[in-house]
Amino acid sequence: MSRLPNLVTFITDFGLDWGPVGICHAVMRGINPQISIVDISHGIPAFDIRAGAWVLTSIFPYVPPAVHVVVVDPGVGTQRLPIAILCRRGDVLIGPDNGVLIPATRRLGGIVEARKISNKALMRPDISYTFHGRDIFCPVAAHLSSGVSFEDVGEILPISDLVQAPWREPEIYEHRVVAEVAILDKFGNIRTNIEAADWPLSTGEKIILKHKNNQVNLAVARTFGEVNRGDLLIYEDSSRFICIGQNLGHAGNTLGIGPGDTIQLERARS
Amino acid sequence: MSRLPNLVTFITDFGLDWGPVGICHAVMRGINPQISIVDISHGIPAFDIRAGAWVLTSIFPYVPPAVHVVVVDPGVGTQRLPIAILCRRGDVLIGPDNGVLIPATRRLGGIVEARKISNKALMRPDISYTFHGRDIFCPVAAHLSSGVSFEDVGEILPISDLVQAPWREPEIYEHRVVAEVAILDKFGNIRTNIEAADWPLSTGEKIILKHKNNQVNLAVARTFGEVNRGDLLIYEDSSRFICIGQNLGHAGNTLGIGPGDTIQLERARS
Amino acid sequence: MSRLPNLVTFITDFGLDWGPVGICHAVMRGINPQISIVDISHGIPAFDIRAGAWVLTSIFPYVPPAVHVVVVDPGVGTQRLPIAILCRRGDVLIGPDNGVLIPATRRLGGIVEARKISNKALMRPDISYTFHGRDIFCPVAAHLSSGVSFEDVGEILPISDLVQAPWREPEIYEHRVVAEVAILDKFGNIRTNIEAADWPLSTGEKIILKHKNNQVNLAVARTFGEVNRGDLLIYEDSSRFICIGQNLGHAGNTLGIGPGDTIQLERARS
């Protein structure tokens, strides 16, 4: 499957108040006037690599093959590498080598090849110390979107050298799973890093959630309307991750669970 | 008047932090690479159908004929219908059948025809329970923007079957009007659901505002600068609705008036 | 250097919640369907001309020659003029005559010519009292982006008649500079109005910051990682202004310095 020409998606923790997102857009359009830039989120909490990784993953497979730029980059100005990853579906992921790009690669069929971004002809002529989004990542993405080939970004990196995912991979067993909370969304829903296909939920099933010394029973549902007001539920969210919510409530606050927490889910004996 | 090809406007209560707006953009571009998507607002308060209806109405006639998608959809996953409404000006409105699309139709010359969205060829192949923006509304809008005809979205719905406007229509009399507050904007201005043309204000006139057991006199003005600091005023806002404001103050807090409140305006005897 | 056709950048204090930004986009697309609009910021604090001026300046030279619209306009509806400024680099700046456009002109090679926007053929037919972004500034920008020539916007204004910059220009001496704080960014960094090229910082140098009756020593650094946690630093920011920050802290709060404050910087004797 080949990339949609000119399509670039864009995720950052810049916020929208002071202009950096717009500067990046303008830089990309200056390089490729035909570009279509899709802003996925610029509201990732500052430096939150885990949240950036979850949001990037959540857009697939809904977003067509394209160039995807993620700038959540606490290490800007240090030795961390700028990288580009070619995936089997045809997508190219661009960002810092801090793990933020890794979880999404599975939904894209896996990594074909990773490269260090080192070709200065694809960057701005003057590289700042603190704004590699503008000076490196976005220019490279714009060039790729206009037909520059992946091989031109720089030398190959062994895949095993890449910084790994910013979370512990779920441990999947038949009756239980140990996993991590990726984000709380704005409604307080607890978005986990469990791909729903890896540990399928069945409607009507009961799940035991264990967190620290607490445990609570959760009904599996498809929508919030299937449980009573105030009740907790567990469901496959629209991004195909397992998620814990509360009908007309804030599950994170109710359960005292937040990003980065380890949780265990068990299927209750019926 | 015919629709501008490729133009789609987009209103939701998704917020911009976690990615759903961007996913919808990418889905639409995947269907129609020539699409121009104009984001009107993604900051509608969660599930606030009234606010969504007011914002949609406020963009006309300034926005040219196009496809307009509104996803403020507390009933997603229930039996509520997805609908498309063709208006006399040439616009097509797309969204849930919960009234959010109705008030705008008057500014567009009225409804020509309403249809239930049921043609699965215009949707994503797998429909989630909780994200019909991505799976139904936006795909249909993208297809319409690229030339699919309105008749293809699904079967005709009797206009009388549509869920009505999410507010009580103003009762208009020569000297008074009973109406509803649609939103408080970010400055605290009280945006009513009264079309200014239906109850014209004259500069220099005094208006008596009645709310619950209170009443207060308001000067009609064109701009805030025409009244003293701290004074209340009533004016035709730039969206052609009647609005109550306070120069350098928050009218909603000052008057204890909020969205959904019923108010009465009377012309003071001169 | 000539303008990129169809490119318009857009800065306002409208916020993104209630729709005015989207209405402006749609109006511009109605005039020039080929337009590429780049949103730089719509989060300028309400009526903050100084912040608007700083953000506009900060995008150059990174943003290519284009039409740039800034609507931070506390004087809308008064006698203040709508203006257009042609700069030597080829850019056209559009906005109210309140100084918001002035600081950026230096980075664009200076002003070639200023004109009052008065050609009604380039505006919406009905001009509201409170929304000149929609009715005047954006329509004119869209026409210019589609090939209308600068001369057509209206009559020439003497450059000396323009309202000046919304800050006091820095007083530059060899060993010290007296300047103004333009904004605090979202991390609390103190962005000054000093062009770094006018008073170059050298790595390793010490700078004495004087503010009111306080003074503090600052290390010159290139990145936050070069100083200890909690330490203050002074650096050339990615926008080429001099900036004062604090590693993992909020420099503005720590130093009690805010927008509009006068500061003095002195090179410490080594």
Side-chain angles (χ1 to χ4, degrees):
Chain A
M1 200 163 171
S2 66
R3 274 189 282 132
L4 223 62
N6 299 317
L7 184 62
V8 173
T9 75
F10 194 23
I11 295 173
T12 75
D13 61 354
F14 296 166
L16 292 171
D17 282 353
W18 293 118
V21 172
I23 293 172
C24 289
H25 274 239
V27 165
M28 289 192 272
R29 283 183 194 282
I31 292 168
N32 176 8
Q34 305 305 316
I35 205 167
S36 281
I37 304 162
V38 172
D39 293 299
I40 300 296
S41 170
H42 300 292
I44 304 296
F47 310 141
D48 190 338
I49 298 171
R50 184 197 295 117
W54 192 92
V55 170
L56 177 66
T57 306
S58 76
I59 73 175
F60 303 114
Y62 310 103
V63 170
V67 177
H68 310 285
V69 183
V70 183
V71 190
V72 180
D73 191 13
V76 64
T78 69
Q79 296 301 312
R80 73 95 190 85
L81 296 178
I83 59 171
I85 297 177
L86 176 65
C87 295
R88 201 157 307 278
R89 197 182 76 153
D91 303 76
V92 174
L93 310 181
I94 305 247
D97 179 29
N98 61 18
V100 73
L101 304 175
I102 300 302
T105 60
R106 182 178 161 202
R107 291 196 180 186
L108 299 173
I111 299 177
V112 174
E113 196 173 87
R115 289 179 181 265
K116 176 185 169 185
I117 296 173
S118 58
N119 180 353
K120 289 194 183 303
L122 305 182
M123 306 178 191
R124 278 190 52 82
D126 49 330
I127 310 290
S128 67
Y129 288 98
T130 52
F131 197 177
H132 288 188
R134 178 191 69 196
D135 300 333
I136 298 176
F137 298 121
C138 287
V140 168
H143 282 294
L144 288 173
S145 78
S146 69
V148 167
S149 66
F150 179 72
E151 292 68 29
D152 289 339
V153 306
E155 60 264 38
I156 288 184
L157 279 176
I159 294 171
S160 57
D161 283 4
L162 299 177
V163 172
Q164 290 307 297
W167 57 50
R168 195 171 60 148
E169 287 304 321
E171 297 167 38
I172 310 276
Y173 306 94
E174 188 180 348
H175 288 289
R176 66 186 182 91
V177 55
V178 180
E180 202 170 303
V181 175
I183 64 170
L184 292 193
D185 69 23
K186 74 170 201 173
F187 301 103
N189 300 313
I190 299 164
R191 309 287 187 128
T192 76
N193 67 344
I194 311 168
E195 295 274 359
D198 289 344
W199 204 71
L201 300 171
S202 307
T203 310
E205 195 183 16
K206 294 284 177 195
I207 301 291
I208 302 161
L209 163 68
K210 294 183 176 172
H211 172 249
K212 294 178 181 162
N213 292 321
N214 302 318
Q215 78 173 56
V216 61
N217 287 327
L218 304 171
V220 173
R222 289 174 306 188
T223 69
F224 283 63
E226 291 176 19
V227 303
N228 291 325
R229 185 185 182 109
D231 279 3
L232 293 158
L233 66 156
I234 186 166
Y235 61 103
E236 175 179 339
D237 70 21
S238 63
S239 305
R240 303 185 182 181
F241 283 106
I242 287 180
C243 181
I244 297 154
Q246 183 178 23
N247 189 14
L248 296 166
H250 187 289
N253 289 349
T254 300
L255 294 168
I257 293 180
D261 285 3
T262 297
I263 58 170
Q264 178 170 302
L265 302 176
E266 283 182 31
R267 299 189 197 280
R269 307 302 161 110
S270 51
Chain B
M1 199 163 171
S2 67
R3 274 189 283 133
L4 223 61
N6 299 316
L7 184 62
V8 173
T9 75
F10 194 23
I11 296 173
T12 76
D13 61 355
F14 295 166
L16 292 171
D17 282 353
W18 293 117
V21 172
I23 293 172
C24 289
H25 274 240
V27 165
M28 290 191 271
R29 283 182 194 282
I31 291 168
N32 176 8
Q34 305 306 314
I35 205 166
S36 282
I37 304 162
V38 172
D39 293 299
I40 300 295
S41 170
H42 300 292
I44 304 295
F47 310 141
D48 189 338
I49 298 171
R50 184 197 296 118
W54 191 92
V55 170
L56 177 65
T57 306
S58 77
I59 73 175
F60 303 115
Y62 310 103
V63 171
V67 177
H68 310 284
V69 183
V70 183
V71 190
V72 180
D73 191 13
V76 64
T78 69
Q79 296 300 313
R80 73 96 188 86
L81 297 178
I83 59 171
I85 297 177
L86 176 65
C87 295
R88 201 158 305 279
R89 198 182 75 153
D91 303 75
V92 175
L93 310 181
I94 304 248
D97 179 30
N98 61 18
V100 73
L101 305 176
I102 300 302
T105 59
R106 181 177 161 203
R107 291 196 179 186
L108 299 173
I111 299 177
V112 174
E113 196 174 87
R115 288 178 182 266
K116 175 185 168 184
I117 296 172
S118 58
N119 180 353
K120 289 194 182 303
L122 305 181
M123 306 178 192
R124 278 190 51 82
D126 49 330
I127 310 290
S128 67
Y129 288 98
T130 52
F131 197 177
H132 288 188
R134 178 192 68 197
D135 300 334
I136 298 176
F137 298 120
C138 286
V140 168
H143 282 293
L144 287 173
S145 78
S146 69
V148 167
S149 66
F150 179 71
E151 291 67 29
D152 289 340
V153 306
E155 60 265 39
I156 288 185
L157 279 175
I159 293 171
S160 57
D161 283 4
L162 299 177
V163 172
Q164 290 306 297
W167 57 50
R168 194 171 61 149
E169 288 304 321
E171 297 167 38
I172 310 276
Y173 306 94
E174 188 180 349
H175 288 289
R176 67 186 182 91
V177 55
V178 180
E180 202 170 303
V181 175
I183 64 170
L184 291 193
D185 69 23
K186 75 169 200 173
F187 301 103
N189 300 313
I190 299 165
R191 309 288 187 128
T192 75
N193 68 344
I194 311 167
E195 294 274 359
D198 289 344
W199 204 71
L201 300 171
S202 307
T203 310
E205 195 183 16
K206 294 284 177 195
I207 302 292
I208 302 161
L209 163 68
K210 294 182 177 174
H211 172 249
K212 294 178 181 162
N213 292 320
N214 303 318
Q215 78 173 55
V216 61
N217 287 327
L218 304 171
V220 174
R222 289 174 306 188
T223 69
F224 283 62
E226 291 176 17
V227 304
N228 292 326
R229 185 186 181 108
D231 279 2
L232 293 159
L233 67 156
I234 186 166
Y235 61 103
E236 174 179 339
D237 70 21
S238 62
S239 306
R240 303 185 182 181
F241 283 106
I242 288 180
C243 181
I244 297 154
Q246 183 178 23
N247 189 14
L248 296 166
H250 187 289
N253 289 349
T254 299
L255 294 168
I257 292 180
D261 285 3
T262 297
I263 58 170
Q264 178 170 302
L265 303 176
E266 283 182 31
R267 299 189 196 280
R269 307 302 161 110
S270 50
Chain C
M1 199 164 171
S2 66
R3 275 189 282 133
L4 223 61
N6 299 317
L7 184 62
V8 173
T9 75
F10 194 23
I11 296 173
T12 75
D13 61 355
F14 295 166
L16 292 171
D17 282 353
W18 292 118
V21 172
I23 293 172
C24 289
H25 274 239
V27 165
M28 289 191 272
R29 283 182 194 281
I31 292 168
N32 176 8
Q34 306 306 315
I35 204 166
S36 282
I37 305 162
V38 172
D39 293 299
I40 300 296
S41 170
H42 300 292
I44 303 297
F47 310 141
D48 190 338
I49 298 171
R50 185 197 295 118
W54 192 92
V55 170
L56 176 66
T57 306
S58 77
I59 73 175
F60 304 115
Y62 310 103
V63 170
V67 177
H68 310 284
V69 183
V70 183
V71 191
V72 180
D73 191 13
V76 64
T78 69
Q79 296 302 312
R80 73 94 189 86
L81 296 178
I83 59 171
I85 297 177
L86 176 65
C87 295
R88 201 158 306 279
R89 198 182 75 153
D91 303 76
V92 174
L93 310 181
I94 305 248
D97 179 30
N98 61 19
V100 73
L101 305 175
I102 299 302
T105 60
R106 182 177 161 202
R107 291 196 180 186
L108 299 174
I111 299 177
V112 174
E113 196 173 86
R115 288 179 181 266
K116 175 184 169 185
I117 296 173
S118 58
N119 180 353
K120 289 194 182 303
L122 304 182
M123 306 178 191
R124 278 190 52 81
D126 49 330
I127 310 290
S128 67
Y129 288 98
T130 52
F131 197 177
H132 288 188
R134 178 192 68 196
D135 300 334
I136 298 176
F137 298 121
C138 286
V140 168
H143 281 294
L144 288 173
S145 78
S146 69
V148 167
S149 66
F150 179 72
E151 291 67 29
D152 289 339
V153 306
E155 59 265 39
I156 288 184
L157 279 176
I159 294 171
S160 57
D161 283 4
L162 299 177
V163 173
Q164 290 306 297
W167 57 50
R168 194 171 60 149
E169 288 304 321
E171 297 167 38
I172 310 277
Y173 306 94
E174 188 179 349
H175 288 289
R176 66 187 181 90
V177 55
V178 180
E180 202 171 303
V181 175
I183 64 170
L184 291 193
D185 69 23
K186 75 170 199 171
F187 301 103
N189 300 313
I190 299 165
R191 308 288 187 128
T192 75
N193 67 344
I194 311 167
E195 294 274 359
D198 289 344
W199 204 71
L201 300 170
S202 308
T203 310
E205 196 183 16
K206 294 284 177 194
I207 301 292
I208 302 161
L209 163 68
K210 294 183 176 173
H211 172 249
K212 294 177 181 162
N213 293 320
N214 302 317
Q215 78 173 56
V216 61
N217 287 327
L218 304 170
V220 174
R222 288 174 307 188
T223 69
F224 283 62
E226 291 176 18
V227 303
N228 291 326
R229 185 186 183 108
D231 279 2
L232 294 159
L233 67 156
I234 186 166
Y235 60 103
E236 175 179 339
D237 70 21
S238 63
S239 305
R240 304 185 182 181
F241 283 107
I242 288 180
C243 181
I244 297 154
Q246 183 178 23
N247 189 14
L248 296 166
H250 188 289
N253 289 348
T254 299
L255 294 168
I257 293 180
D261 285 3
T262 296
I263 58 170
Q264 178 169 303
L265 303 176
E266 283 182 31
R267 299 189 197 280
R269 307 303 161 111
S270 51

